[in-house]
């Protein structure tokens, strides 16, 4: 029987989870909240919006729903900017309610605390079918693997699987090709990883690869764009 997940506190005060079986955390020890903001909001969503400010809705595909932090931050962004988002996310092992109810992300930034109820709404949204979570944020959560999932055309990919050293099967060129094929022209792929093989594979699949400064505690990350 596998050991249960453990809630840990990262350096910015926000929670993450430790997976004993994989000996891996869901986020950086240096700050879960800061990592999501830096990698997926700043270099992902904000970059997309700056390039395509009038293309709605924004179709986002996430590999690794995990704690729901990326989804919640995206919802907050969509409501603040009044930009519609369609969010498709995969998670083969959803968290139990007793775990996600303890996570403290809604307490990290008091300026967006009024969006706190939506964090639970995201987790409580039904699996396997679409859900209107807020006025500007619709999502579909699927309890499946990337290998088995049917992908839809997307504008932005949040690739937030466990590290290549822990889940190498999710970072193969074959699976990356499946994701790249679903990306619309001009679409952006972002991930916290900056492995050399990942960059080579993304480039071989036709994306324009950038190595960017990583979040606190991590030197680099990757963003890759599909030519228009």
């Amino acid at each position: 029987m596998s050991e249960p997940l453990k809630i840990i506190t990262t350096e910015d005060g926000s929670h993450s989870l430790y997976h004993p079986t994989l000996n891996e955390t869901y986020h950086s020890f240096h700050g879960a909240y800061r990592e999501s903001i830096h990698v997926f909001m700043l270099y992902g969503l904000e970059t997309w919006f700056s390039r395509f400010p009038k293309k709605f809705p924004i179709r986002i595909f996430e590999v690794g729903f995990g704690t729901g932090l990326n989804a919640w931050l995206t919802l907050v962004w969509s409501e603040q900017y009044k930009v519609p988002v369609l969010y498709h996310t995969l998670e083969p092992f959803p968290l139990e309610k007793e775990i996600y109810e303890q996570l403290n992300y809604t307490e990290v930034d008091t300026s967006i605390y009024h969006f706190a109820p939506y964090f639970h709404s995201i987790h409580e949204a039904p699996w396997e079918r679409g859900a209107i979570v807020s006025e500007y944020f619709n999502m579909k959560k699927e309890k499946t693997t990337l290998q088995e999932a049917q992908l839809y055309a997307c504008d932005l990919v949040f690739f937030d699987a466990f590290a290549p050293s822990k889940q190498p099967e999710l970072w193969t060129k074959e699976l990356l090709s499946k994701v790249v094929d679903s990306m619309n022209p001009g679409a952006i792929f972002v991930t916290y990883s900056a492995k050399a093989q990942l960059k080579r594979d993304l480039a071989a699949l036709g994306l324009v690869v950038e190595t960017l400064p990583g979040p606190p505690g991590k030197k680099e990350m990757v963003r890759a764009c599909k030519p228009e």
Side-chain angles (χ1 to χ4, degrees), residues 102-203:
Q102 296 182 63
L103 299 175
N104 70 350
Y105 303 130
T106 61
E107 303 165 19
V108 175
D109 183 352
T110 57
S111 70
I112 59 173
Y113 185 73
H114 53 292
F115 292 106
Y118 289 114
F119 182 74
H120 293 92
S121 299
I122 284 171
H123 277 279
E124 291 163 7
W127 290 87
E128 318 306 338
R129 59 187 177 89
I132 300 173
V133 182
S134 68
E135 182 176 359
Y136 291 96
F137 187 85
N138 289 11
M139 76 183 307
K140 182 179 182 181
K141 301 188 301 184
E142 291 192 87
K143 197 184 303 184
T144 187
T145 63
L146 179 57
Q147 291 91 330
E148 297 294 327
Q150 175 186 345
L151 306 190
Y152 310 102
C154 64
D155 302 310
L156 185 55
V157 175
F158 292 168
F159 207 87
D160 201 15
F162 283 115
S165 61
K166 303 296 182 178
Q167 284 191 321
E169 68 277 8
L170 291 180
W171 300 81
T172 64
K173 187 176 179 182
E174 179 183 7
L175 269 190
L176 290 171
S177 177
K178 179 178 180 177
V179 174
V180 171
D181 286 347
S182 75
M183 294 168 63
N184 289 324
I188 292 173
F189 174 110
V190 283
T191 185
Y192 63 86
S193 178
K195 292 291 186 183
Q197 187 61 52
L198 170 66
K199 290 186 277 189
R200 287 193 292 268
D201 288 342
L202 292 174

Side-chain angles (χ1 to χ4, degrees), residues 10-51:
T10 62
E11 289 180 3
D12 65 0
S14 64
H15 285 155
S16 187
L17 298 174
Y18 172 69
H19 194 303
T21 304
L22 292 177
N23 188 28
E24 181 74 324
T25 59
Y26 277 56
H27 307 90
S28 167
F29 279 112
H30 299 283
Y33 196 90
R34 290 187 300 194
E35 180 182 45
S36 286
I37 290 287
H38 183 95
V39 176
F40 301 105
M41 299 299 108
L42 177 61
Y43 283 130
L45 187 51
E46 290 283 357
T47 297
W48 164 264
F49 189 60
S50 69
R51 295 180 183 179

Side-chain angles (χ1 to χ4, degrees), residues 24-100:
E24 181 74 324
T25 59
Y26 277 56
H27 307 90
S28 167
F29 279 112
H30 299 283
Y33 196 90
R34 290 187 300 194
E35 180 182 45
S36 286
I37 290 287
H38 183 95
V39 176
F40 301 105
M41 299 299 108
L42 177 61
Y43 283 130
L45 187 51
E46 290 283 357
T47 297
W48 164 264
F49 189 60
S50 69
R51 295 180 183 179
F52 303 97
K54 299 187 183 300
K55 184 177 179 183
F56 306 144
I58 303 175
R59 300 174 184 273
I60 299 176
F61 172 55
E62 178 186 45
V63 178
F65 175 70
T67 64
L69 177 56
N70 293 336
W72 180 67
L73 289 173
T74 302
L75 181 149
V76 172
W77 184 94
S78 70
E79 292 296 321
Q80 288 179 322
Y81 285 89
K82 301 189 185 305
V83 173
V85 168
L86 301 179
Y87 200 92
H88 178 210
T89 183
L90 308 180
E91 178 54 65
F93 304 106
L95 299 182
E96 298 291 339
K97 186 174 183 178
E98 64 183 25
I99 295 289
Y100 69 71

